[in-house]
Amino acid sequence: MSEASYKKTVLDPWGTTVIEDYDRLYEEFGIQPFKPLLPEMPDPNLFMRRGVIFGHRDFKRVLDAMKRKEPFAVMSGIKPTGEFHLGTLMTAREIIYFQQQGATAFYCIADVEAYEDNKIPFERSEKIAVGNVADLLALGFDPDPKRGCVYRQYTEQRVRDLSIIFGRGATLATMKAIYGERNIGLYMSALIQAGDILMPQLQDFGGPKPTVVPVGVDQDAHLRFTRDLAGKFRRKYGFVPPSSTYHKIMRGLDGSPKMSKREPMSYFTLTERPETIAKKISNAFTGGRPTIAEQRKLGGIPEACCIYEICMFQFVENDSDMVKVYHDCKSGKLLCGEHKDQATEIILNFVKAHQRKRRKLMDKARQILRVSK
Ligand code: SF4
C-alpha cells in the first residue's frame, strides 16, 4: 500500500468508527490477537470460537485467574439512549458469559455519558435504563449482590469519588491526545468511565483483582486511559491493570459499515414488533447473485452477506450448522430467499421469547435501579 493511500484507523468512542482491516489494529494500537489464547479458554463462547472477539489487552491475566478459580471481575455496560439492539445484546451476552464462568459482574448504566454525548436528561435515561436492565435480566444476568452489581453512573457515589480522585492524574494534553478536542463534559465522562472500570477493585467488592472489560473495539481509548490511571494510583489502591476483549463491530442490515439509529433499516431492537423485524430481515443486503441461475452456478458470497453475519455473530449457536450454511451458500445449493426465511424464523423465535421474559422483569429492573413506576 502506498503512503498516500494509507489512512490511519480512528477508534473514537463518541464518533463513527469504521474498521476496514482488523489486522491493522494489532500494529496501530498494540491490541493483541485473541486467537492464540483460544485453546486455553476453559469453555469458549460463540464470539470467541468464531473470531467475533478478535483482540484483547492483557487478557491472559484474567484467563489465568479463570483457570485457577481465583476471584476476577467483568465490567461493561450500556449507554441508555434507546432500546437494546444487536450491539448492546453482544456486550450483555459477553458479561453474562464471564459471570457464568465465575466472575463478579458489574453492569453500568452510562447515564453521565448519555447526558454529555447525547444530551439525554437523567429523568429520561432513568426510564430507558429500566428497559435495558429488564433485557439484561431476561438474557440471564444474575442480579444476586454476591455475583452481580447493576448501577447508574449518576447515582453511584463510589464511581463519582474515583473520578474526582483520577482527575489529578490526567492533564488536558493527555485528554486531547487520547480523545481529541472535546467538550469538558466528555472528558469528565471519560474519568467517570475510569471509575466504572476500577470500582470492582475497591475493598467494598473484595479488593484488587483481574478485571475484564468486554467492549466493541471503538471503546479502546477508555481502556488505554484507565490502564494508565490504574498505574498512577496503584500505590494507593493496589489496582491490577484492567484487561479487555474487543469484538468486531457488526455491519448494518442494509450493508452499511455500521448499524445506525439514523438508518432504521440498518438495525432492529429487541422490543420491535416481530413483523417489523421480519421486514428488515427480508430487505437485508446479502451476498447473493442477481439471478437464481447465476447463484446456482456461481454460489453466493457469505463473507459479504449481512444474513450470514447476523446468524454467525448472534443467532446460530451450533458451529457445524454455520459451516454447512457457508458451504451450501458457496456451492449454490442454498438460495437467499430460503436462507432469509430460516434466519427470520430463528431470530423471531428468540425475540418473541425474549419479549415475554422481559415484560415479567420490568418490576425487578425498577427495583434494582431504585426507580419508581
Ligand atoms: S445464501 Fe445466505 S449466506 Fe449466502 S448470500 Fe444468500 S443470504 Fe447470504
Side-chain angles (χ1 to χ4, degrees):
M1 185 183 292
S2 73
E3 227 173 275
S5 67
Y6 186 87
K7 222 166 102 209
K8 205 170 177 331
T9 313
V10 178
L11 297 179
D12 181 354
W14 301 308
T16 307
T17 299
V18 175
I19 313 286
E20 281 166 13
D21 179 359
Y22 281 91
D23 287 345
R24 266 171 49 186
L25 302 182
Y26 303 134
E27 208 178 295
E28 286 182 31
F29 294 92
I31 289 172
Q32 298 153 294
F34 191 82
K35 202 171 173 189
L37 297 182
L38 199 54
E40 291 185 57
M41 282 301 295
D43 182 18
N45 63 13
L46 174 157
F47 306 125
M48 295 168 177
R49 296 194 309 268
R50 296 184 187 166
V52 178
I53 292 179
F54 71 95
H56 72 99
R57 280 190 195 276
D58 217 0
F59 182 71
K60 183 82 170 66
R61 191 193 293 280
V62 174
L63 179 55
D64 288 343
M66 284 171 81
K67 287 199 292 195
R68 293 191 208 115
K69 307 232 177 288
E70 290 171 359
F72 72 105
V74 58
M75 186 280 138
S76 197
I78 186 168
K79 191 160 66 162
T81 56
E83 304 290 358
F84 249 55
H85 51 71
L86 297 179
T88 42
L89 173 64
M90 198 176 331
T91 309
R93 284 177 155 166
E94 287 167 348
I95 292 182
I96 292 164
Y97 163 79
F98 282 113
Q99 187 182 43
Q100 288 169 349
Q101 299 296 314
T104 313
F106 293 76
Y107 192 73
C108 154
I109 303 297
D111 50 1
V112 172
E113 193 183 9
Y115 174 80
E116 300 294 355
D117 191 23
N118 306 84
K119 303 186 183 70
I120 299 198
F122 292 104
E123 308 78 54
R124 194 162 141 233
S125 59
E126 181 181 90
K127 291 194 173 59
I128 297 171
V130 170
N132 295 159
V133 172
D135 281 304
L136 181 76
L137 298 173
L139 291 166
F141 185 91
D142 180 355
D144 178 334
K146 287 196 233 59
R147 310 212 47 226
C149 172
V150 178
Y151 66 91
R152 293 167 58 200
Q153 287 176 326
Y154 190 59
T155 54
E156 177 48 68
Q157 192 60 44
R158 287 166 288 206
V159 164
R160 292 165 68 154
D161 290 350
L162 281 175
S163 73
I164 291 166
I165 288 161
F166 292 160
R168 217 176 56 192
T171 64
L172 196 55
T174 309
M175 302 310 271
K176 275 190 193 168
I178 297 177
Y179 294 105
E181 183 95 31
R182 294 319 239 278
N183 68 46
I184 297 295
L186 284 177
Y187 292 157
M188 261 172 45
S189 88
L191 285 165
I192 296 251
Q193 296 238 358
D196 290 323
I197 293 171
L198 293 172
M199 184 176 79
Q201 300 197 43
L202 294 180
Q203 290 306 327
D204 284 4
F205 300 102
K209 63 179 85 55
T211 303
V212 57
V213 186
V215 281
V217 68
D218 52 346
Q219 302 297 307
D220 180 53
H222 294 316
L223 264 299
R224 279 182 277 140
F225 180 50
T226 307
R227 283 170 61 84
D228 182 52
L229 287 171
K232 285 181 176 151
F233 290 88
R234 183 179 167 78
R235 191 178 291 180
K236 181 169 166 55
Y237 292 95
F239 289 137
V240 176
S243 310
S244 49
T245 58
Y246 298 114
H247 57 240
K248 291 182 178 171
I249 295 165
M250 278 187 83
R251 278 178 297 178
L253 287 175
D254 55 356
S256 54
K258 195 178 178 184
M259 295 182 177
S260 160
K261 286 196 178 136
R262 279 187 288 274
E263 299 293 340
M265 291 307 278
S266 74
Y267 78 107
F268 62 82
T269 70
L270 297 191
T271 49
E272 270 181 68
R273 290 171 58 232
E275 307 81 69
T276 315
I277 296 175
K279 191 168 167 212
K280 290 182 180 182
I281 296 169
S282 92
N283 285 329
F285 180 84
T286 72
R289 306 285 176 179
T291 65
I292 291 179
E294 278 180 75
Q295 185 141 347
R296 289 277 187 226
K297 188 166 161 225
L298 301 169
I301 310 168
E303 296 84 353
C305 176
C306 297
I307 297 294
Y308 184 79
E309 185 170 280
I310 198 173
C311 291
M312 189 183 70
F313 273 41
Q314 299 269 15
F315 290 106
V316 176
E317 179 58 39
N318 190 313
D319 290 344
S320 46
D321 288 350
M322 272 326 295
V323 172
K324 183 171 179 338
V325 163
Y326 182 86
H327 290 300
D328 286 354
C329 170
K330 282 286 210 195
S331 67
K333 190 173 167 198
L334 182 64
L335 296 177
C336 296
E338 185 189 345
H339 191 199
K340 279 181 170 176
D341 288 347
Q342 288 170 10
T344 304
E345 192 184 338
I346 294 169
I347 293 167
L348 292 196
N349 280 344
F350 165 78
V351 168
K352 286 177 193 168
H354 178 80
Q355 290 181 352
R356 278 195 298 275
K357 284 189 233 165
R358 181 186 190 271
R359 271 195 293 276
K360 292 184 194 148
L361 288 161
M362 290 295 279
D363 283 341
K364 179 80 183 164
R366 279 190 201 92
Q367 187 194 330
I368 288 171
L369 293 172
R370 297 191 190 88
V371 171
S372 52
K373 260 193 186 176

